[in-house]
Amino acid sequence: MASEGLARVLAAVLGGQGVSVHGYDSEPAGEPPAPVRLRKNVCYVVLAVFLNEQDEVLLIQEAKKECRGSWYLPAGRMEPGETIVEALQREVKEEAGLYCEPLTLLSVEERGPSWIRFVFLAQATGGILKTSKEADAESLQAGWYPRSSLPTPLRAQDILHLVELAARYRQQARHPLLLPQELPCSLVCQRLVATFTNVQTVWVLVGTEGMPHLPITACGFSPMEQRGGIKMAILRLLQECLTLHHLAVETKGLLGLQHLGKDHADGICLNVLVTVAFRNPGMQSEPPKVRGENFFWWKVMEEDLQSQLLQRLQESSVVPVNR
């Protein structure tokens, strides 16, 4: 029965769906982490990449004093009480004059759990492009520019990589379409699909407290966890149950994103695909031994789930997480 429940949850996570967060298998040392609050201890930024049929990119001209006159993609900080999609739509309307719908999450960028940027591929659904006559504190104007000939100066060069990422995704989607799932969470946390593979066999790490479940690790805000980024929380959980010095751990990317934003639920849950492997495989055909009783390796027997996992792993079919 437990295996059936795990299979349902794994299928949901692989499908980009949300699964409620009921507790944490690993928390930072010391005091239990306080709920996160936008503008107090976390900052989330949304950014949209638009490409039209003429291979033109939508850019806005900045009005802020420190970068006035430079060009950038529509972007801005989320406000308390907003969902991620609502924030994206508000920023695009304010800065470019257009209504829009996100098509997929393209990447997540982080500087530790206190600053996270969500990058979307989006499409315009209406509105009127903002001209210099409508210049205000949000932007001076917006315009479509050939991808190969963007206006200068750019506010920052980081958007060049994001524009190319969007263009490559339009040509050949590396991962399925993925949008945020509206589910509440009080902390910045990560649900791990931590895998060990041997030929065509896949094991997934499972937490045992309560019902068997995919383990969740809460991110901390100490200087060390800030400097190391959100991967520190993954390593902390794995260190609590595995001997890591002879293992190679790699975060492949995101399978899903959960956030609500209503009722002061400013936390997010990132569903993350992780690989665990022996540094020197040798004759090791079984996953590394688990210490204690709070975790175990679950051998995935369902052929469809097994093939999905192997495909996502082999093709890195995930949303990238970058620092």
Side-chain angles (χ1 to χ4, degrees):
M1 191 66 182
S3 180
E4 291 178 12
L6 285 169
R8 281 197 297 272
V9 169
L10 181 57
V13 170
L14 288 172
Q17 300 168 33
V19 180
S20 296
V21 174
H22 297 296
Y24 306 95
D25 297 274
S26 177
E27 294 183 353
E31 291 292 313
V36 299
R37 291 286 183 267
L38 277 171
R39 290 187 169 178
K40 292 185 178 179
N41 57 0
V42 293
C43 173
Y44 304 145
V45 176
V46 290
L47 180 147
V49 186
F50 293 81
L51 292 169
N52 65 17
E53 295 304 314
Q54 290 74 46
D55 201 29
E56 294 172 324
V57 184
L58 178 66
L59 294 179
I60 61 99
Q61 192 172 34
E62 296 283 8
K64 292 187 284 289
K65 184 179 178 180
E66 64 271 20
C67 53
R68 187 177 179 87
S70 61
W71 295 86
Y72 206 66
L73 294 167
R77 296 182 181 187
M78 285 178 57
E79 301 287 348
E82 289 182 312
T83 67
I84 294 173
V85 169
E86 286 170 348
L88 184 81
Q89 292 171 328
R90 174 184 55 77
E91 287 290 348
V92 171
K93 185 66 173 66
E94 289 174 352
E95 295 189 344
L98 301 180
Y99 297 102
C100 74
E101 288 293 336
L103 298 174
T104 186
L105 188 65
L106 273 181
S107 77
V108 170
E109 300 165 340
E110 53 101 1
R111 300 173 190 164
S114 65
W115 190 95
I116 300 175
R117 183 163 76 169
F118 306 105
V119 178
F120 288 89
L121 178 63
Q123 65 178 5
T125 58
I128 299 173
L129 197 64
K130 191 173 189 176
T131 69
S132 57
K133 292 180 180 179
E134 288 93 49
D136 56 19
E138 299 295 339
S139 68
L140 300 179
Q141 61 180 317
W144 292 95
Y145 293 91
R147 183 161 61 93
S148 59
S149 179
L150 300 182
T152 56
L154 295 177
R155 188 183 110 190
Q157 298 293 309
D158 62 341
I159 65 171
L160 297 176
H161 161 72
L162 300 177
V163 169
E164 291 311 305
L165 184 66
R168 289 198 302 271
Y169 189 91
R170 286 216 317 176
Q171 289 170 356
Q172 184 174 4
R174 185 176 175 182
H175 56 79
L177 295 173
L178 182 66
L179 292 174
Q181 300 297 299
E182 294 182 9
L183 285 169
C185 189
S186 61
L187 305 179
V188 176
C189 65
Q190 297 169 86
R191 175 182 283 111
L192 272 56
V193 179
T195 62
F196 177 87
T197 60
N198 178 36
V199 194
Q200 294 298 105
T201 306
V202 186
W203 289 263
V204 171
L205 190 68
V206 168
T208 60
E209 286 198 29
M211 291 290 289
H213 59 276
L214 297 176
I216 297 178
T217 181
C219 295
F221 291 84
S222 68
M224 186 178 75
E225 294 218 15
Q226 282 294 116
R227 284 194 305 271
I230 61 174
K231 70 176 182 184
M232 296 296 290
I234 296 174
L235 293 174
R236 181 188 351 106
L237 182 143
L238 294 178
Q239 202 151 16
E240 290 167 3
C241 63
L242 301 172
T243 304
L244 291 187
H245 71 266
H246 66 297
L247 299 175
V249 175
E250 182 184 358
T251 300
K252 304 296 284 187
L254 293 192
L255 296 165
L257 166 63
Q258 301 176 198
H259 169 267
L260 184 62
K262 311 294 183 185
D263 303 319
H264 306 294
D266 290 336
I268 58 171
C269 179
L270 305 171
N271 295 328
V272 185
L273 183 61
V274 176
T275 59
V276 177
F278 289 103
R279 293 185 187 278
N280 301 303
M283 300 298 290
Q284 302 278 6
S285 59
E286 298 283 321
K289 187 176 180 180
V290 172
R291 296 198 308 270
E293 299 178 353
N294 292 336
F295 301 91
F296 70 91
W297 287 105
W298 169 51
K299 189 174 183 178
V300 181
M301 303 299 291
E302 293 81 352
E303 288 186 14
D304 181 52
L305 284 179
Q306 196 176 84
S307 63
Q308 279 190 65
L309 272 171
L310 289 169
Q311 180 257 327
R312 301 293 286 269
L313 288 165
Q314 289 162 4
E315 299 178 11
S316 292
S317 179
V318 288
V319 173
V321 180
N322 301 308
R323 271 183 68 71

